[in-house]
Amino acid sequence: MNFIIPIAKVDQERRLVIGRATEEKPDKTKEILDYATAKPAFESWSKQFEEMSGGMSKGNLRVMHGPVVAGKIMEMEFNDADKAVDIVAKVVDDNEWKKVQEGVYTGFSIGGGYAKRWKDGELTRYTPRIAEISLVDNPCLPSAKFYDLVKADGSVERREFP
């Protein structure tokens, strides 16, 4: 199970990548997150990392669902109105940060498995079993790309990625 969501903003000075980790919208594979049951799964996953790191991390950030650790989740916000989970991720790996800056990685993707799946019309609704969040190069949602780069001086540069 891998679900890819857009990166909304990049903060160069602090190496932060800001965007939507997931939301209750259909993806390219005609699956849809069930926000009501996913929210507790995200809360539980994040709590484990907070406890293990003494509050320094709210989740693991990987690369393309592989073994490379890129950084950590710094903030996680539950947007009940949009049925979405927004995150701030810190990229500590120099190689992976360069790929963020160059537009190689354009979105987030949730890695793990399914705690539950069921049909919902033409879609398959699911509750995730979260293992990690990854930086990815090929977002699954049509809106899964980032547009703004926040430079070290605080100015914002508009960037369009395919």
Side-chain angles (χ1 to χ4, degrees), residues 1-4 27 29 31 64-65 109-114 126 132 140:
M1 171 187 88
N2 298 317
F3 307 100
I4 303 168
D27 65 18
T29 64
E31 291 185 326
M64 302 290 293
H65 302 296
S109 180
I110 307 304
Y114 299 100
Y126 66 90
E132 45 90 6
C140 193

Side-chain angles (χ1 to χ4, degrees), residues 31-76:
E31 291 185 326
I32 186 167
L33 172 94
D34 185 72
Y35 180 76
T37 60
K39 181 178 176 180
F42 274 94
E43 290 170 329
S44 174
W45 172 77
S46 183
K47 184 178 178 185
Q48 290 174 7
F49 279 90
E50 283 189 271
E51 289 171 358
M52 287 188 298
S53 70
M56 294 179 66
S57 173
K58 294 187 179 188
N60 56 338
L61 183 67
R62 301 244 177 221
V63 176
M64 302 290 293
H65 302 296
V68 175
V69 178
K72 61 185 177 178
I73 307 304
M74 300 293 295
E75 298 294 329
M76 184 174 293

Side-chain angles (χ1 to χ4, degrees), residues 9-18 97 148-152:
K9 192 178 286 189
V10 175
D11 181 323
Q12 285 185 325
E13 182 178 352
R14 296 180 290 166
R15 290 188 170 194
L16 300 179
V17 183
I18 304 160
W97 179 245
D148 294 338
L149 180 71
V150 180
K151 293 184 170 184

Side-chain angles (χ1 to χ4, degrees), residues 10-160:
V10 175
D11 181 323
Q12 285 185 325
E13 182 178 352
R14 296 180 290 166
R15 290 188 170 194
L16 300 179
V17 183
I18 304 160
R20 188 146 280 179
T22 193
E23 60 187 323
E24 191 173 301
K25 287 188 176 179
D27 65 18
K28 290 179 186 176
T29 64
K30 295 190 178 194
E31 291 185 326
I32 186 167
L33 172 94
D34 185 72
Y35 180 76
T37 60
K39 181 178 176 180
F42 274 94
E43 290 170 329
S44 174
W45 172 77
S46 183
K47 184 178 178 185
Q48 290 174 7
F49 279 90
E50 283 189 271
E51 289 171 358
M52 287 188 298
S53 70
M56 294 179 66
S57 173
K58 294 187 179 188
N60 56 338
L61 183 67
R62 301 244 177 221
V63 176
M64 302 290 293
H65 302 296
V68 175
V69 178
K72 61 185 177 178
I73 307 304
M74 300 293 295
E75 298 294 329
M76 184 174 293
E77 181 179 316
F78 297 97
N79 183 330
D80 294 340
D82 287 351
K83 296 183 178 181
V85 181
D86 296 321
I87 62 170
V88 176
K90 182 176 180 86
V91 181
V92 298
D93 183 279
D94 292 339
N95 246 3
E96 305 315 324
W97 179 245
K98 183 176 180 181
K99 292 175 191 174
V100 168
Q101 291 178 302
E102 293 293 326
V104 174
Y105 299 133
T106 60
F108 291 115
S109 180
I110 307 304
Y114 299 100
K116 184 178 176 186
R117 294 174 76 192
W118 64 99
K119 289 303 282 180
D120 184 2
E122 292 185 13
L123 301 172
T124 300
R125 189 168 285 272
Y126 66 90
T127 303
R129 189 174 23 83
I130 304 145
E132 45 90 6
I133 296 177
S134 275
L135 295 170
V136 296
D137 63 350
N138 186 15
C140 193
L141 293 175
S143 62
K145 54 185 177 179
F146 68 90
Y147 302 99
D148 294 338
L149 180 71
V150 180
K151 293 184 170 184
D153 65 3
S155 65
V156 177
E157 178 182 318
R158 175 66 50 167
R159 289 192 178 178
E160 298 286 342

